[in-house]
């Protein structure tokens, strides 16, 4: 209340000593068409209302931002079945992910309600690709776009999940990361299968090109047929030339 009064006084020359006394006025203000001192008072009061409304909106406006990744503690120990350098096929191979509380974590995990496991792009597959860009603000981060699973958190024993690599998974180099979420869905901890620089224990997924095997076979047959047809026309033309 004192803050709003101070802003109104500084910006509009508000001289009342009682905080926000103009909100308690019972009489309607004179119309702006009235000339002289009363019209000037009405204009000043309207300005005060506008200043207070703007300051209030700025103070109460929500901040458009998410949790900062740098603020999270590495409280989860994550392991995934692919080994460094492995190449998996989209739509065929499986990834098994296991997680548990990090033994070196000394914090309180009571707020952990859900574990959200994600497939994340390695820096090698982020270069010159703004749609995969890493951002410290997790609300804007595009590193981990592919969901593997979301399961309730249990601190007693390690948990695991098996996931078949989606057919729509792009060809890229990846690692696995898991976020611990609280009851509101905000990230409060994490773990990943790579180091802080995201350069170790990386694996690759080969995406589906979109062409079926029968398309390649048909294309090969038509190519061979065209060559044979051209050779046949050449022989026929040569024989006709000899008869002539």
């Amino acid at each position: 209340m004192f803050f709003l009064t101070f802003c109104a006084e500084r910006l509009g020359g508000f001289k009342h000593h009682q905080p926000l006394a103009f909100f308690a006025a019972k009489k309607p203000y004179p119309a702006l068409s009235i000339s002289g001192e009363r019209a000037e008072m009405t204009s000043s009061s309207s300005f005060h209302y506008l200043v207070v409304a703007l300051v209030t909106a700025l103070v109460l406006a929500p901040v458009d931002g998410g949790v900062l990744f740098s603020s999270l503690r590495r409280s989860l120990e994550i392991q995934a079945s692919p080994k460094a350098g492995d190449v998996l096929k989209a739509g065929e191979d499986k990834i098994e992910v296991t997680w548990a509380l990090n033994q070196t974590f000394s914090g309180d995990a009571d707020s952990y309600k859900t574990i959200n496991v994600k497939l994340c792009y390695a820096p090698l597959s982020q270069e010159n690709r703004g749609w995969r860009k890493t951002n410290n603000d997790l609300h804007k981060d595009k590193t981990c776009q592919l969901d593997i699973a979301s399961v309730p958190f249990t601190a007693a024993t390690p948990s695991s999940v098996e996931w078949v690599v989606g057919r729509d998974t792009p060809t890229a180099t990846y690692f696995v990361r898991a976020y611990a979420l609280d009851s509101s869905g905000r990230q409060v901890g994490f773990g990943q299968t790579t180091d802080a620089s995201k350069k170790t224990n990386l694996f690759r997924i080969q995406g589906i090109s979109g062409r079926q095997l029968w398309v390649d076979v048909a294309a090969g047959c038509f190519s061979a047929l065209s060559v044979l047809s051209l050779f046949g026309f050449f022989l026929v033309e040569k024989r006709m030339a000899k008869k002539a």
Side-chain angles (χ1 to χ4, degrees):
M1 183 71 73
F2 173 77
F3 174 75
L4 298 181
T5 304
F6 175 79
C7 292
E9 288 178 351
R10 292 297 180 186
L11 297 177
F14 184 51
K15 300 301 182 181
H16 294 290
H17 295 290
Q18 296 180 359
L20 303 182
F22 51 88
F23 283 121
K26 297 182 179 180
K27 295 182 180 181
Y29 289 103
L32 293 177
S33 60
I34 298 177
S35 61
E37 184 179 352
R38 296 180 64 189
E40 184 179 353
M41 179 190 68
T42 302
S43 177
S44 178
S45 299
S46 299
F47 178 75
H48 294 157
Y49 272 118
L50 179 60
V51 170
V52 173
L54 290 175
V55 173
T56 303
L58 290 174
V59 172
L60 299 181
V63 179
D64 184 17
V67 177
L68 297 182
F69 181 76
S70 58
S71 69
L72 299 180
R73 297 184 61 182
R74 189 162 181 167
S75 56
L76 300 175
E77 188 70 30
I78 307 295
Q79 294 182 351
S81 55
K83 298 179 181 179
D86 282 355
V87 179
L88 309 181
K89 293 183 179 180
E92 298 182 18
D93 292 325
K94 299 178 181 180
I95 297 177
E96 183 177 2
V97 184
T98 304
W99 64 90
L101 273 178
N102 195 327
Q103 297 298 322
T104 61
F105 177 62
S106 58
D108 186 4
D110 290 343
S111 62
Y112 293 8
K113 303 301 180 183
T114 305
I115 298 298
N116 182 213
V117 186
K118 289 179 170 288
L119 188 65
C120 309
Y121 294 108
L124 180 64
S125 295
Q126 291 178 295
E127 295 178 358
N128 302 320
R129 295 175 174 88
W131 60 93
R132 299 177 183 177
K133 186 177 181 180
T134 296
N135 194 305
N136 190 38
D137 185 345
L138 293 179
H139 182 71
K140 303 175 182 179
D141 182 45
K142 303 182 187 305
T143 306
C144 306
Q145 302 183 30
L146 305 174
D147 285 320
I148 292 179
S150 288
V151 297
F153 171 74
T154 55
T157 58
S159 301
S160 63
V161 65
E162 188 176 72
W163 178 69
V164 178
V165 180
R167 294 177 58 84
D168 57 346
T169 304
T171 298
T173 302
Y174 295 93
F175 65 93
V176 176
R177 178 183 291 170
Y179 289 110
L181 311 180
D182 62 14
S183 57
S184 66
R186 291 174 65 86
Q187 298 91 343
V188 290
F190 85 102
Q192 59 188 28
T193 57
T194 185
D195 60 354
S197 61
K198 298 178 289 188
K199 294 181 179 180
T200 62
N201 298 328
L202 304 178
F203 58 92
R204 187 168 179 81
I205 293 180
Q206 183 65 47
I208 298 176
S209 65
R211 294 191 309 179
Q212 300 293 334
L213 179 60
W214 67 269
V215 175
D216 294 332
V217 174
C221 292
F222 280 116
S223 297
L225 181 61
S226 62
V227 173
L228 291 176
S229 299
L230 181 62
F231 184 70
F233 282 122
F234 176 75
L235 291 178
V236 171
E237 184 178 359
K238 190 173 182 180
R239 287 183 179 181
M240 293 180 65
K242 287 183 178 180
K243 290 181 179 181

